[in-house]
């Protein structure tokens, strides 16, 4: 990029050509972590950095043949276990937060919308079927209307062929 294209280049007469502000807002590529997850992550970074410092001190004390070498090696091993625990804590905290608060991502929200539409369609179909059954039951219960009678000499469609019915 050339110096003049940046917009912040000084002109011949001084700083009169500056068109861009001091602070330029750019959209975030990723969203910010939730507070509990961020707290666990900061804790994990601090524990891991202390572990690295202890390991370095243990190495240097061992090379210097100091009496501090053995206690520092033991402390570094214990801190490694603690750092592993802290990293697992970040992972578990993130999973718990996602389950409790529900992360809306495009694929899952689309699937959720489709599921909601399917449920609504099934509910509407069940309601229509119930209404139809109510209408049939209501027609059968109405006074003054007799049930349809079989015509004389008419055999039901699925009746067995017997000489008595002919």
């Amino acid at each position: 990029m050339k110096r003049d294209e940046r917009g912040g280049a000084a002109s011949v007469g001084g700083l009169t050509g500056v068109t861009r502000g001091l602070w330029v807002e750019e959209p975030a590529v990723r969203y910010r972590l939730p507070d509990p997850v961020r707290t666990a992550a900061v804790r994990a970074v601090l524990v891991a950095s202390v572990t690295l410092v202890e390991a370095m001190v243990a190495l240097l004390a061992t090379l210097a043949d100091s009496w501090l070498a053995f206690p520092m090696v033991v402390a570094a091993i214990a801190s490694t276990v603690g750092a592993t625990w802290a990293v697992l804590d970040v992972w578990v905290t993130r999973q718990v937060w996602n389950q409790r608060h529900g992360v809306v991502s495009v694929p899952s929200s689309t699937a959720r919308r489709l599921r909601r539409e399917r449920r609504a369609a099934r509910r509407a179909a069940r309601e229509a079927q119930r209404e139809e059954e109510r209408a049939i039951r209501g027609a059968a219960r109405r006074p003054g209307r007799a049930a349809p009678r079989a015509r004389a000499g008419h055999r039901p469609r699925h009746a067995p062929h017997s000489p008595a019915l002919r």
Side-chain angles (χ1 to χ4, degrees):
M1 178 183 280
K2 295 180 184 175
R3 185 175 171 96
D4 295 335
E5 292 175 358
R6 282 184 266 174
S11 65
V12 179
L15 294 175
T16 57
V18 177
T19 57
R20 215 167 75 167
L22 182 63
W23 187 264
V24 177
E25 289 276 336
E26 292 182 4
V29 177
R30 294 179 61 169
Y31 290 106
R32 185 175 158 163
L33 284 174
D35 287 338
V37 179
R38 192 171 56 250
T39 303
V42 168
R43 187 171 43 241
V45 167
L46 290 175
V47 170
S49 63
V50 167
T51 301
L52 288 174
V53 168
E54 285 180 353
M56 185 58 72
V57 169
L59 176 70
L60 293 175
T62 302
L63 291 176
D65 203 22
S66 171
W67 64 271
L68 196 60
F70 180 71
M72 286 308 298
V73 167
V74 172
I77 291 171
S79 291
T80 302
V81 172
T84 305
W85 189 268
V87 170
L88 284 175
D89 180 47
V90 173
W91 183 66
V92 169
T93 305
R94 182 175 165 268
Q95 294 299 324
V96 167
W97 195 91
N98 285 345
Q99 284 184 353
R100 286 186 183 162
H101 298 91
V103 175
V104 179
S105 63
V106 174
S108 69
S109 63
T110 303
R112 202 174 298 129
R113 182 179 51 80
L114 291 175
R115 251 184 279 130
R116 195 177 303 129
E117 290 172 1
R118 273 189 255 128
R119 266 192 308 243
R122 281 195 306 256
R123 199 175 302 124
R126 278 195 309 263
E127 190 62 33
Q129 184 180 5
R130 282 190 203 118
E131 287 296 324
E132 184 180 327
E133 290 172 0
R134 283 187 202 127
I136 291 172
R137 274 189 263 133
R141 289 183 186 167
R142 284 190 199 127
R145 293 195 66 181
R149 294 183 201 162
R151 290 181 285 166
H154 177 68
R155 188 180 62 196
R157 182 179 273 173
H158 298 292
H161 297 285
S162 68
L165 293 176
R166 288 190 185 184

